[in-house]
C-alpha cells in the first residue's frame, strides 16, 4: 500500500521509532502527522539520558514544528511558542551552544523579540484597560503572553546588555497580560 493512502489516518505509535525513521516520516508528513511526530520527538528528547542524543531528538522536534507553518497568524504564534519553549529547555538542561542558533541564548532572545509587536510599556498599558479593548487586541496581548512564557529561564543565560534588559522588562510585564 502507498503511504498516500494513509495520510489522513491517525498516526501510529511513533514513540518506538528510531531517529532515522521519524526523520524520514517528517519530511513527507503534513498536518496532524507533523504534530504527532513533533510530540514523539520531543518526548524522546525529554527522556534521553544522553545530551547529544537529546539534542538530536530536539532538533527533529523543531523540524516537525517548523514544517507546520502555514501563514496563519494563530498557527505561527503556536509554532513559535513551541519552538521557544523547547529551545529554552535544551539550553537550561543541556547547556547553551553558541555554534548552533537553536541552542544559542542570544539567538533565542533575538528570535523572541522579533515576534513581539508591542513594547512592554505598550502591552502593560493595553492590558490595564483590556475590558474596553476590541477582541483582536486582547488576542494580541494573549499571543504576547504565550510568546514570552520562556523568558524567566532564558534571561539567566544572557549577558547583561540592552537585549537582556528588554527581555527582563517583558518578563515583568507578562503577568499583567490577559
Amino acid at each position: 500500500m502507498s503511504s498516500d493512502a494513509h495520510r489522513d489516518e491517525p498516526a501510529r505509535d511513533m514513540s518506538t521509532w528510531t531517529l532515522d525513521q521519524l526523520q524520514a516520516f517528517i519530511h513527507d508528513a503534513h498536518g496532524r502527522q507533523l504534530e504527532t511526530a513533533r510530540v514523539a520527538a520531543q518526548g524522546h528528547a525529554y527522556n534521553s539520558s544522553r545530551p547529544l542524543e537529546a539534542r538530536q531528538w530536539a532538533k527533529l522536534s523543531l523540524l516537525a514544528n517548523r514544517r507546520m507553518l502555514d501563514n496563519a497568524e494563530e498557527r505561527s504564534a503556536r509554532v513559535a511558542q513551541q519552538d521557544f519553549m523547547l529551545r529554552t529547555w535544551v539550553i537550561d538542561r543541556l547547556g547553551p551552544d553558541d555554534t548552533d542558533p537553536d541552542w544559542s541564548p542570544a539567538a533565542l532572545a533575538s528570535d523572541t523579540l522579533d515576534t513581539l509587536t508591542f513594547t512592554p510599556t505598550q502591552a502593560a498599558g493595553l492590558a490595564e484597560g483590556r475590558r474596553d479593548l476590541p477582541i483582536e487586541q486582547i488576542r494580541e496581548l494573549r499571543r504576547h503572553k504565550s510568546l514570552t512564557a520562556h523568558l524567566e529561564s532564558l534571561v539567566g543565560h544572557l549577558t547583561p546588555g540592552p537585549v537582556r534588559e528588554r527581555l527582563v522588562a517583558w518578563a515583568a510585564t507578562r503577568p499583567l497580560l490577559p
Side-chain angles (χ1 to χ4, degrees):
M1 289 191 180
S2 93
S3 61
D4 288 340
H6 299 288
R7 283 205 186 269
D8 294 324
E9 290 180 12
R12 300 165 293 286
D13 178 12
M14 295 179 195
S15 66
T16 61
W17 290 16
T18 67
L19 188 78
D20 291 337
Q21 288 173 317
L22 198 54
Q23 186 167 13
F25 179 81
I26 287 170
H27 285 289
D28 294 327
H30 67 283
R32 287 184 291 164
Q33 292 174 328
L34 285 169
E35 176 64 10
T36 302
R38 181 195 69 77
V39 170
Q42 184 172 303
H44 280 288
Y46 288 165
N47 291 324
S48 178
S49 60
R50 297 187 303 249
L52 179 59
E53 182 180 289
R55 284 181 195 271
Q56 291 172 328
W57 283 110
K59 275 284 193 192
L60 197 54
S61 181
L62 290 174
L63 174 65
N65 188 54
R66 291 168 181 167
R67 289 217 43 241
M68 286 189 276
L69 288 173
D70 65 0
N71 296 330
E73 182 73 20
E74 276 183 40
R75 185 67 160 239
S76 64
R78 193 200 68 69
V79 167
Q81 194 266 344
Q82 292 284 347
D83 187 284
F84 296 164
M85 294 301 288
L86 181 57
R87 289 168 65 188
T88 301
W89 181 87
V90 169
I91 290 167
D92 273 347
R93 297 293 179 344
L94 306 175
D97 178 356
D98 289 329
T99 66
D100 185 329
D102 286 333
W103 318 137
S104 165
L108 179 52
S110 178
D111 292 347
T112 301
L113 290 170
D114 288 346
T115 66
L116 304 174
T117 56
F118 296 135
T119 66
T121 304
Q122 290 170 325
L126 287 168
E128 191 173 304
R130 69 179 165 256
R131 286 183 170 66
D132 299 324
L133 292 176
I135 191 73
E136 296 79 24
Q137 281 190 311
I138 294 170
R139 278 190 193 122
E140 187 64 12
L141 289 172
R142 288 183 178 155
R143 185 179 81 80
H144 279 65
K145 188 170 190 168
S146 292
L147 291 172
T148 55
H150 63 290
L151 293 184
E152 285 189 29
S153 295
L154 177 61
V155 296
H157 295 281
L158 297 170
T159 58
V163 170
R164 185 180 189 280
E165 292 311 310
R166 286 175 65 194
L167 294 179
V168 167
W170 267 112
T173 302
R174 187 173 185 277
L176 306 174
L177 303 178

